[in-house]
Amino acid sequence: MPIYVNKNNSFEQTDMVSRECPHCGAHAQLLPLSTPSFDALVKARPRHVGIVFTCAACSEPRFVRAAVRAFEPERVELSPNLMEVERARERFQYGYLPPEIERLLREAFDCYTAGCYTAFALLSRHAVEAALQTLDAAGRRRWQELLRDVLRIAEIDADMTRAIEAALFGDPKTLPAIDADEAAVLIEAVKDLFYQAYVRTAKLQAAMKMRRFFAGEHARNVTPIEHARRDRPATS
């Protein structure tokens, strides 16, 4: 449903908007805090307007842009498709990563959030290269195969697959050029690569270590049947 700024400067919003908050992480409603003036809109007749909302969960301000659809005698109609100026930051379990790789990956994801897709792809490549430096000679091949598996599971077409592979494993002298659609695929692929290489590996190793520890404790505390019978006092 469209949004209206009425002649009396009231803000008419039929459907409440809910988004993930970049500040608190909650998926909460956006409550209008500062809306444009009807007279100012009619005088300037802009193509887009800025609106300040507040997050219903944490009360932090949220800045959005909306396209102006129509100027009417009693109201100005705005598009309901609100474009957020400040996007939510990408989340990852960074605590499992080595410090240098964590730094590169954080910066890469910040570039994605800012819409700097070439910088995002380049830093993602650097993070992958830093990770491969810690592996054996077959590490690159394993990561490339893992990437192909991820893209195959996600049913990514051949052209997109080649673009993603080139972005992460292409010629280091060539800048990876990707668009918004390719970046959306790349970030999920990068997250999965590092999750499997570091987070999943560490969690699996810890779980197995714990299982083996308790298995050993159980074995030491169980008295074999033969010993139990031999040590049992005789009865008359």
Side-chain angles (χ1 to χ4, degrees), residues 57-211:
C58 68
S59 299
E60 285 293 317
R62 305 285 299 280
F63 304 93
V64 304
R65 296 171 69 238
V68 178
R69 280 185 170 177
F71 292 93
E72 302 174 7
E74 299 296 322
R75 62 188 184 181
V76 175
E77 180 182 338
L78 308 180
S79 170
N81 298 321
L82 304 177
M83 298 171 285
E84 292 194 67
V85 176
E86 186 179 15
R87 296 167 58 182
R89 299 183 71 178
E90 295 296 324
R91 296 182 179 181
F92 192 78
Q93 299 180 54
Y94 294 105
Y96 291 92
L97 303 178
E100 177 62 17
I101 297 175
E102 176 186 351
R103 182 184 65 81
L104 289 170
L105 208 60
R106 281 186 183 274
E107 291 183 7
F109 289 172
D110 284 346
C111 287
Y112 176 81
T113 299
C116 303
Y117 300 129
T118 299
F120 157 60
L122 184 59
L123 283 170
S124 295
R125 178 189 290 178
H126 284 327
V128 168
E129 288 297 328
L132 294 178
Q133 293 299 319
T134 66
L135 304 178
D136 56 31
R140 178 177 295 273
R141 178 180 53 80
R142 291 197 302 270
W143 275 52
Q144 287 176 316
E145 291 175 352
L146 183 58
L147 175 64
R148 295 189 188 107
D149 285 341
V150 170
L151 299 177
R152 184 164 49 249
I153 291 171
E155 298 182 346
I156 302 301
D157 62 58
D159 290 340
M160 180 78 77
T161 296
R162 283 192 291 270
I164 300 302
E165 285 193 66
L168 290 183
F169 299 103
D171 184 353
K173 297 180 180 179
T174 304
L175 283 176
I178 61 172
D179 57 25
D181 191 32
E182 292 165 341
V185 175
L186 179 60
I187 192 165
E188 293 302 327
V190 170
K191 282 184 175 182
D192 193 82
L193 283 175
F194 281 91
Y195 180 87
Q196 294 201 53
Y198 291 97
V199 183
R200 180 173 178 266
T201 299
K203 288 184 175 182
L204 187 59
Q205 290 174 346
M208 287 187 174
K209 184 177 181 180
M210 186 63 68
R211 291 283 186 181

Side-chain angles (χ1 to χ4, degrees), residues 228-236:
R229 287 175 178 172
R230 185 172 62 246
D231 297 340
R232 186 182 303 166
T235 57
S236 57

Side-chain angles (χ1 to χ4, degrees), residues 4-23:
Y4 298 103
V5 177
N6 297 315
K7 192 171 185 178
N8 63 357
N9 286 328
S10 61
F11 189 74
E12 185 178 335
Q13 188 179 11
T14 305
D15 296 327
M16 297 298 293
V17 179
S18 296
R19 300 281 177 83
E20 182 182 356
C21 179
H23 304 286

Side-chain angles (χ1 to χ4, degrees), residues 38-60:
F38 175 84
D39 291 336
L41 290 178
V42 171
K43 182 179 180 179
R45 303 184 75 84
R47 295 174 57 188
H48 294 85
V49 299
I51 308 170
V52 181
F53 288 86
T54 184
C55 172
C58 68
S59 299
E60 285 293 317

